[in-house]
Amino acid sequence: MSTTTERPAAAAAVAPAARPAKVRPRGESGPLAKALSHGALILASLIALFPVVWILYISLGPDKTDYLHPGGILGKITLANYQHVLSDTGFFTWFGNAFLVSGITTVFGVMLAATTGYAVSRMKFPGHKPLMWSLLVTQMFPIAVLIVPMYTMLSELGLLDSYTGLILVYSTTTVPYCGWLLKGYFDTIPVEIDEAGRVDGLSPFGTFWRLVLPLARPGLAVAAFYSFLTYWAEVPFASTFMLSSDKYTLAVGLQTFVSEHDSQWNLMAATAVLIAIPSAAFFYLVQRHLVTGLTAGASKS
Amino acid sequence: MSVAVQGATGKGSRERESRPGLVERVKRSYAKHWYAYAMIAPVVLVLGVLVLYPLVEGIWLTLTNANSLNSARTIGVNHIPASYKFVGFDNYADILWGPGSYDRFWSHFVWTIAWTVICVVLHYTLGLGLALLLNKKLRGRAVYRMVLILPWAVPTFVTVFSWRLMLSDGGAVNGLLSFLHLPEPGWLTDPWAQKAAAILVNTWVGVPFMMISLLGGLQSIPAELYEAAEMDGATPWQRFRYVTLPGLRTVSSTVVLLGVIWTFNQFGVIFLLFGTGAPDAQILVTWAYKLGFGQQPRDYAQSAAYGVILLSILIVFTAFYRRWLARNEQANG
């Protein structure tokens, strides 16, 4: 900040002479810069879009090696893969399992995280710092250090191959991250709102529930989006802890299409597209909150 | 309501004695903060039971020679109790300087560091570049934003799978390269190409998060600062260097830290791209998983020891990073 006032003094002497036509409104760029920006954005958009479109395209080819001759698909586009996946495999069971597990994890995680985020954001209590620190450190736990003891723990509790077990395991990562995220969001909500609520006779819980939570909806939406998306198609934990095929989540069930002898890439492609639909839909619902929800907090904390 | 309670306790105890004893102080602190503790209790409980306990258990495992042959297990109706024993720091010694430790640990270590640095630099620079473009007044900005976040909206699992089809021999990427008369590397088989492929895919997966976070940061920089800089005749580069970058500092420090942690522990991309094969492209996390679950017999102790080493590296890094940030903060006022 302080540098901005000093530095340009030297540049000011040179700059105006070099660029006399400076009548454009702020934020607008010249035609060349505009064209370049559009060019860069179009290129980036193509790169972002291509793999998604590609798998959609491959999923329309009936043979399992069609991805090697993509040109051939055009002549024989069919929905046979989808029909096979939907009617002849455990797709709906897996879909239901994945939806149940990621849905409950999301609700559970966001609820727990919200109160913690609020407490950490508003109240300076002893143990405040260590709590923040442990929320961050939990982010760092590599899968390898937890997965083995969790495996033994779940097996002792008889929770291996159960929804509860998987939800508990997922909560270990989603709760701290959402708490962190929401703390940042609560920081952006003016404390005066809490104070007004307290003056009007609300308890701290009442203030939180009736005033702050409704205001924090964008932050909650982002946290929910994050955890749903992470667990909707999570692989390593699900494939290690879910053992019987009627408990598989989507991402694990999908692996059954690929064995050492026979890889049905076409079926996998179709299922992958089907997996992507709910998350894209959810994403569409929350996307206008994403920018504010994600960093409103981080930029001010 | 609680305010009244809090006042009463405070007053009562102060009348009785001038300097309260430990019990009294705990009581008073409880009265003042009980709702804070009530609010964090669920999370503390979850972290304690589901994270701390397995962590302690995991650290204990690293001091034993546990594997799938000597751990407690149930075969049919027979329950076989655990028979592994305490071996002290043998696992760590073996990993860090035992025979073949270069191939087992250090080569993966070097690659993990390179992977983390390259990926985070690419994530950050590409994310910042796109965020800057999206922050301009351009026609169709909303559409670009929607499309560019797309990689994030689709589960990693699905997109990595798509990349695998595209990168296979004769897949779309090599099709394009042969059309351009460029060499066609074996992305999923050749060690160096595997690494390049992993970085490529992870960059594609990770840029949207950075872009959106930085876009949020850019939008929170007051327009007046740019106006003032422009009044003073600052060139675009100077505006970027002295207004944009400092304005982004807090967002950047957070997303870079998270980026490093997530990339260092990025399991999905490499696991889904290569499975437990491709020994050269495995980073430490996937390698540790392979030891614990991707081979027979499963080596639980070594796998957990890798995990502890990984965690230590990250904690040390974070401590230094935060100190460095704090020092920068002071230097820049």
Side-chain angles (χ1 to χ4, degrees):
Chain A
M1 275 257 288
S2 56
T3 29
T4 38
T5 46
E6 294 161 18
R7 273 303 180 96
V14 198
R19 37 175 71 221
K22 220 179 181 188
V23 277
R24 258 180 258 120
R26 233 188 49 74
E28 298 265 322
S29 10
L32 180 67
K34 233 177 207 171
L36 284 176
S37 306
H38 277 291
L41 284 171
I42 289 171
L43 181 69
S45 303
L46 286 179
I47 296 174
L49 209 53
F50 188 75
V52 182
V53 174
W54 190 249
I55 199 166
L56 193 68
Y57 177 63
I58 296 291
S59 73
L60 299 172
D63 296 324
K64 60 188 175 195
T65 53
D66 272 340
Y67 70 100
L68 293 174
H69 338 279
I73 295 178
L74 271 182
K76 48 179 181 181
I77 283 182
T78 164
L79 291 176
N81 295 325
Y82 290 93
Q83 202 200 342
H84 179 79
V85 168
L86 291 176
S87 52
D88 303 336
T89 65
F91 179 81
F92 285 105
T93 319
W94 304 333
F95 186 96
N97 292 343
F99 197 80
L100 185 80
V101 171
S102 56
I104 295 180
T105 307
T106 301
V107 174
F108 185 62
V110 172
M111 260 170 31
L112 285 186
T115 54
T116 305
Y118 181 72
V120 178
S121 161
R122 289 294 198 270
M123 305 162 190
K124 292 275 169 281
F125 52 90
H128 169 267
K129 276 231 157 131
L131 183 68
M132 277 305 282
W133 180 241
S134 56
L135 291 183
L136 181 64
V137 172
T138 328
Q139 286 293 302
M140 304 177 197
F141 285 167
I143 208 167
V145 71
L146 288 182
I147 200 166
V148 175
M150 276 180 169
Y151 186 85
T152 43
M153 193 170 116
L154 291 183
S155 108
E156 275 161 25
L157 293 172
L159 288 174
L160 219 52
D161 200 21
S162 79
Y163 302 127
T164 321
L166 198 58
I167 291 169
L168 288 178
V169 168
Y170 284 170
S171 301
T172 59
T173 40
T174 197
V175 167
Y177 179 70
C178 289
W180 221 55
L181 197 77
L182 287 172
K183 186 253 176 203
Y185 198 82
F186 288 133
D187 283 346
T188 65
I189 298 174
V191 191
E192 288 77 36
I193 290 179
D194 300 44
E195 284 162 1
R198 298 296 295 277
V199 168
D200 288 347
L202 285 173
S203 70
F205 299 113
T207 319
F208 169 69
W209 183 252
R210 295 206 192 163
L211 298 179
V212 178
L213 217 49
L215 285 174
R217 244 181 257 141
L220 296 174
V222 174
F225 169 67
Y226 168 83
S227 41
F228 182 81
L229 206 66
T230 314
Y231 301 113
W232 173 239
E234 194 270 350
V235 177
F237 280 124
S239 58
T240 312
F241 293 150
M242 299 312 249
L243 308 171
S244 51
S245 65
D246 62 325
K247 293 281 177 56
Y248 283 171
T249 61
L250 268 179
V252 185
L254 208 65
Q255 316 277 349
T256 56
F257 295 145
V258 184
S259 68
E260 277 170 35
H261 316 290
D262 186 25
S263 303
Q264 295 167 303
W265 297 117
N266 53 334
L267 296 182
M268 268 192 83
T271 319
V273 172
L274 292 171
I275 292 181
I277 291 171
S279 65
F282 190 28
F283 173 79
Y284 182 76
L285 287 178
V286 301
Q287 57 94 14
R288 66 203 168 85
H289 294 312
L290 270 178
V291 174
T292 43
L294 199 63
T295 43
S299 60
K300 285 176 190 161
S301 61
Chain B
M1 203 171 75
S2 56
V3 183
V5 176
Q6 175 194 329
T9 15
K11 212 176 178 184
S13 59
R14 213 166 294 152
E15 277 165 10
R16 243 176 285 133
E17 48 183 343
S18 53
R19 199 183 166 282
L22 182 68
V23 179
E24 194 58 33
R25 266 183 298 171
V26 168
K27 236 187 233 169
R28 207 187 287 178
S29 156
Y30 172 80
K32 191 167 162 211
H33 299 294
W34 72 269
Y35 44 83
Y37 290 124
M39 281 180 152
I40 63 166
V43 166
V44 172
L45 207 69
V46 166
L47 290 184
V49 176
L50 294 174
V51 180
L52 203 62
Y53 173 75
L55 182 67
V56 172
E57 182 97 5
I59 292 175
W60 160 247
L61 270 183
T62 67
L63 304 175
T64 69
N65 62 355
N67 60 35
S68 55
L69 298 180
N70 59 18
S71 295
R73 60 200 183 280
T74 311
I75 299 170
V77 288
N78 299 319
H79 186 77
I80 303 162
S83 61
Y84 55 79
K85 57 182 196 297
F86 182 79
V87 296
F89 289 95
D90 284 6
N91 285 315
Y92 294 98
D94 181 48
I95 289 170
L96 295 175
W97 55 81
S101 63
Y102 177 77
D103 285 333
R104 286 181 296 132
F105 179 79
W106 293 106
S107 60
H108 296 294
F109 175 80
V110 170
W111 160 232
T112 306
I113 301 289
W115 149 269
T116 309
V117 171
I118 297 171
C119 284
V120 173
V121 166
L122 285 174
H123 285 163
Y124 187 80
T125 48
L126 291 175
L128 181 59
L130 290 172
L132 287 170
L133 289 176
L134 285 178
N135 201 32
K136 285 186 177 178
K137 286 186 186 122
L138 278 180
R139 199 171 293 213
R141 187 161 68 158
V143 179
Y144 286 130
R145 203 183 74 193
M146 276 287 281
V147 175
L148 287 172
I149 312 179
L150 197 73
W152 196 21
V154 179
T156 322
F157 171 74
V158 174
T159 51
V160 174
F161 171 62
S162 174
W163 275 102
R164 203 159 94 178
L165 294 184
M166 286 163 53
L167 290 169
S168 59
D169 292 329
V173 172
N174 279 350
L176 178 71
L177 290 178
S178 97
F179 180 73
L180 297 171
H181 298 288
L182 291 169
E184 302 169 38
W187 296 107
L188 302 177
T189 44
D190 177 53
W192 283 101
Q194 280 172 340
K195 293 182 178 180
I199 290 175
L200 171 75
V201 175
N202 191 44
T203 303
W204 187 86
V205 167
V207 164
F209 170 78
M210 285 284 184
M211 182 187 79
I212 288 302
S213 306
L214 292 170
L215 184 59
L218 285 176
Q219 291 178 348
S220 74
I221 300 175
E224 295 82 49
L225 287 183
Y226 286 103
E227 269 160 35
E230 214 159 321
M231 286 292 195
D232 291 339
T235 62
W237 167 250
Q238 285 171 328
R239 292 202 295 270
F240 175 72
R241 174 70 188 78
Y242 297 108
V243 181
T244 309
L245 283 186
L248 284 177
R249 195 186 298 142
T250 37
V251 183
S252 301
S253 58
T254 310
V255 292
V256 168
L257 178 61
L258 283 178
V260 168
I261 294 174
W262 288 343
T263 310
F264 193 83
N265 282 336
Q266 174 57 272
F267 185 84
V269 167
I270 289 183
F271 180 73
L272 295 169
L273 214 47
F274 310 114
T276 46
D280 287 304
Q282 302 290 338
I283 56 173
L284 289 169
V285 181
T286 54
W287 185 253
Y289 181 82
K290 177 183 145 61
L291 292 178
F293 287 90
Q295 61 177 28
Q296 283 301 336
R298 298 166 162 194
D299 196 336
Y300 294 148
Q302 287 249 345
S303 177
Y306 268 86
V308 172
I309 294 173
L310 283 174
L311 184 60
S312 324
I313 296 173
L314 279 178
I315 288 179
V316 169
F317 166 78
T318 310
F320 275 103
Y321 182 78
R322 295 198 129 190
R323 195 177 301 171
W324 177 75
L325 277 184
R327 216 173 36 218
N328 260 13
E329 199 79 6
Q330 271 178 348
N332 290 318

